[in-house]
C-alpha cells in the first residue's frame, strides 16, 4: 500500500464517505464506508461525482485511481436506502442516473483498483472505469436477481460486452455465480491481478505512466476507444482518423515526434 508520506492531500472538501488524495499527477479516490463494506448510496455517489469533477478540471491531474478497502471495493448498493422506493418516483427522479453521469463525462482515464468484493453496484462501478486491476482475492458478481430486481447501473450492458452473452447471462440470472480475480482476467474483465497489498501501488504506477503522456492525446485515445462500443467499424475508423489528424495541431505531437527523431525523451506540455 502507499505510505502516508507519499500522498499529498489535494484541495478538495473534507468528505464523509470517501478519501480524495493526490500523488504527483495522479488522484486517488478511496471509498470509505468500512462498516458497510463500502455499500453504495446516494450521498457516497454525490461525493464521488464531486471529487471526480474537480480532478477532471484540474490541469495538474492526468489520471485517477478509484479504490476501496482490501476487504471490499464495494459490496453492492445500500439496500436499506432503496428498498421502499416506488417506480413513479424512481422514474421521475431518474433514480441511479447520477451514479453514472460524472464517470461517463470524465475525460481523464480512471483505473479501478478492486480488492475484495465488487458485487452488484460495486461491480458496475468498477466497469464504469477505463481499466480494472484486481487484487488476488477480488470477487466480481451481479446478485440483484436474488433481491427480486436486476442490475440498474450498467451490469446487463457492460458485463455482457466484457465477458460475453453466455457468461453474463449465467452470472446475472443465477445471482450466485461470480468471477474470482483470475477468472475475471481470463474473461477480459480485468487487465491484471496483483497481491492485495500491492494493488493500489500498481494502479498508481500505471496511472502515473498515463499521466506522463500528453493529456490531449490521452483524452483523444480514451474517446476513440470508447467509441468502438458505440459505432460500426466504418464509422469508428473514420472517427479515429479524424482524431489522429487533429493531434497534429497540438504542441505535444510536435514535441513527441521531434523527440523521437532526435533520440531524446519528450517533454510534454499537455497542449
Amino acid at each position: 500500500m502507499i505510505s502516508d508520506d507519499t500522498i499529498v492531500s489535494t484541495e478538495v472538501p473534507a468528505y464523509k464517505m470517501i478519501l480524495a488524495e493526490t500523488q504527483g499527477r495522479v488522484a486517488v479516490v478511496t471509498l470509505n464506508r468500512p462498516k458497510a463494506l463500502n455499500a453504495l448510496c446516494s450521498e457516497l455517489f454525490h461525493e464521488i461525482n464531486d471529487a471526480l469533477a474537480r480532478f477532471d478540471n484540474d490541469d495538474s491531474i492526468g489520471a485517477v485511481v478509484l479504490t476501496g478497502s482490501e476487504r471490499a471495493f464495494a459490496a453492492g448498493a445500500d439496500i436499506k436506502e432503496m428498498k421502499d422506493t416506488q417506480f413513479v418516483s424512481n422514474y421521475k427522479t431518474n433514480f441511479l442516473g447520477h451514479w453514472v453521469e460524472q464517470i461517463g463525462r470524465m475525460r481523464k482515464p480512471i483505473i479501478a483498483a478492486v480488492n475484495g468484493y465488487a458485487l452488484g453496484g460495486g461491480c458496475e462501478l468498477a466497469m464504469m472505469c477505463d481499466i480494472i486491476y484486481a487484487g488476488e482475492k477480488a470477487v466480481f458478481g451481479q446478485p440483484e436477481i436474488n433481491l427480486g430486481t436486476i442490475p440498474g447501473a450498467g451490469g446487463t450492458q457492460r458485463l455482457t460486452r466484457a465477458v460475453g452473452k453466455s457468461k453474463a447471462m449465467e452470472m446475472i440470472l443465477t445471482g450466485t455465480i461470480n468471477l474470482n480475480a483470475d477468472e475475471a482476467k481470463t474473461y477480459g474483465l480485468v487487465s491484471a491481478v496483483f497481491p492485495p497489498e500491492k494493488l493500489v501501488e500498481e494502479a498508481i504506477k500505471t496511472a502515473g505512466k498515463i499521466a506522463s503522456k500528453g493529456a490531449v492525446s490521452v483524452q483523444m485515445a480514451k474517446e476513440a476507444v470508447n467509441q468502438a462500443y458505440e459505432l460500426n467499424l466504418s464509422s469508428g475508423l473514420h472517427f479515429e482518423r479524424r482524431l489522429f489528424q487533429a493531434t497534429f495541431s497540438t504542441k505535444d505531437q510536435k514535441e513527441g515526434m521531434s523527440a523521437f527523431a532526435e533520440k531524446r525523451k519528450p517533454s510534454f506540455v499537455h497542449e
Side-chain angles (χ1 to χ4, degrees):
M1 301 295 289
I2 302 302
S3 61
D4 292 339
D5 60 353
T6 62
I7 299 235
V8 179
S9 295
T10 191
E11 294 183 7
V12 293
Y15 297 111
K16 292 173 58 179
M17 296 187 177
I18 65 171
L19 303 174
E21 304 162 309
T22 63
Q23 181 176 327
R25 285 181 51 78
V26 176
V28 182
V29 177
T30 304
L31 309 188
N32 190 35
R33 295 188 72 197
K35 292 182 179 180
L37 296 180
N38 292 329
L40 304 172
C41 62
S42 290
E43 184 177 1
L44 173 61
F45 257 99
H46 282 303
E47 291 189 0
I48 292 172
N49 288 341
D50 183 80
L52 292 180
R54 290 173 184 272
F55 289 134
D56 206 31
N57 291 309
D58 185 343
D59 288 340
S60 71
I61 298 299
V64 178
V65 172
L66 180 64
T67 191
S69 67
E70 285 196 16
R71 187 179 178 192
F73 175 72
D78 191 331
I79 304 304
K80 292 180 181 179
E81 180 183 71
M82 67 173 63
K83 67 183 181 65
D84 294 324
T85 62
Q86 299 292 325
F87 166 72
V88 172
S89 62
N90 288 346
Y91 185 80
K92 290 173 68 175
T93 61
N94 192 25
F95 182 51
L96 299 192
H98 70 291
W99 282 29
V100 300
E101 286 176 357
Q102 181 56 43
I103 295 182
R105 288 195 297 264
M106 283 289 288
R107 293 160 294 169
K108 297 171 184 176
I110 307 177
I111 300 176
V114 178
N115 265 321
Y117 298 111
L119 302 176
C123 185
E124 291 172 312
L125 176 59
M127 291 190 294
M128 294 177 203
C129 299
D130 301 302
I131 298 170
I132 304 177
Y133 280 179
E136 292 170 341
K137 297 180 181 179
V139 178
F140 299 85
Q142 299 288 164
E144 290 88 347
I145 202 78
N146 300 319
L147 303 176
T149 187
I150 69 170
T156 64
Q157 303 303 301
R158 292 189 177 93
L159 186 64
T160 303
R161 285 167 168 79
V163 305
K165 177 183 175 181
S166 180
K167 192 62 181 179
M169 284 286 194
E170 182 184 47
M171 293 173 66
I172 292 168
L173 297 183
T174 66
T176 57
I177 296 176
N178 301 323
L179 295 178
N180 63 35
D182 289 333
E183 290 170 332
K185 184 174 184 296
T186 298
Y187 276 98
L189 181 62
V190 308
S191 298
V193 177
F194 300 98
E197 68 276 9
K198 293 288 187 181
L199 174 66
V200 176
E201 179 182 349
E202 293 294 336
I204 292 174
K205 188 183 300 183
T206 296
K209 290 180 182 178
I210 293 170
S212 72
K213 314 301 180 184
V216 178
S217 294
V218 167
Q219 292 175 27
M220 284 184 173
K222 170 177 172 170
E223 185 178 4
V225 172
N226 282 334
Q227 285 299 312
Y229 283 100
E230 308 294 337
L231 303 174
N232 60 42
L233 180 59
S234 177
S235 297
L237 291 171
H238 178 80
F239 185 84
E240 176 192 73
R241 188 162 54 251
R242 286 293 179 261
L243 286 182
F244 165 73
Q245 293 164 350
T247 65
F248 284 77
S249 67
T250 67
K251 294 179 181 178
D252 285 339
Q253 175 272 327
K254 297 297 184 287
E255 167 61 14
M257 292 193 176
S258 295
F260 179 84
E262 297 165 9
K263 295 182 173 56
R264 60 176 175 83
K265 185 177 180 179
S267 180
F268 294 122
V269 295
H270 312 298
E271 295 179 0

